[in-house]
Amino acid sequence: MTDDGGSGRADAMGARCRIDIDTDGGYGWRLIAQNGRVVAVSALSYGEHGACRAAFEELCAGQQGLTGGVQHTSGGNGWMWLLRDRDGRATVVSARAYERHSTCRAAYERFRGLLAAMGGVTGSCL
């Protein structure tokens, strides 16, 4: 975990979180890896920027208690991974579909590790 030298953005393993506004005016976050690729996106939309940021920070802090795994895409022609909250709702989904189950599973495991590392970073979502 590093800080970017005073700009106020904290990173874990070079990853960063960004909050975007969707077409309906809601807020959602996306997790970007060090190489610039979007790794994961929020499956839920939030009414306020602060609520979205708080949801991401809660996700990082409590991720070990969440269930998830790999499943077929809705079209059935690929694989995606997701995390579910304690109520069973999908809260995080992979940013893309994967052709192979094994590749998707490896990406899911890397995401879980990255999320755990970000749990100790304050201000990790801008």
Side-chain angles (χ1 to χ4, degrees):
M1 290 180 272
T2 62
D3 186 89
D4 69 343
S7 72
R9 189 186 84 213
D11 293 337
M13 298 169 44
R16 60 197 179 278
C17 173
R18 293 288 181 257
I19 296 176
D20 300 311
I21 301 174
D22 63 24
T23 57
D24 296 327
Y27 295 87
W29 57 262
R30 59 190 160 102
L31 186 61
I32 304 166
Q34 184 176 12
N35 65 5
R37 289 185 180 165
V38 178
V39 175
V41 296
S42 60
L44 303 173
S45 181
Y46 302 89
E48 298 177 358
H49 184 277
C52 184
R53 183 177 179 159
F56 180 78
E57 290 175 358
E58 287 176 25
L59 173 72
C60 292
Q63 63 89 25
Q64 59 273 37
L66 301 178
T67 61
V70 174
Q71 66 182 38
H72 276 289
T73 60
S74 59
N77 57 351
W79 299 93
M80 61 177 284
W81 56 259
L82 57 86
L83 281 182
R84 295 186 183 278
D85 65 13
R86 287 168 179 74
D87 295 329
R89 293 177 302 175
T91 57
V92 183
V93 295
S94 56
R96 68 178 188 93
Y98 296 85
E99 187 175 313
R100 296 175 186 225
H101 182 275
S102 60
T103 306
C104 186
R105 184 73 188 173
Y108 172 70
E109 296 299 332
R110 284 191 307 272
F111 168 74
R112 292 296 297 240
L114 183 59
L115 198 60
M118 292 191 83
V121 178
T122 57
S124 58
C125 200
L126 302 175

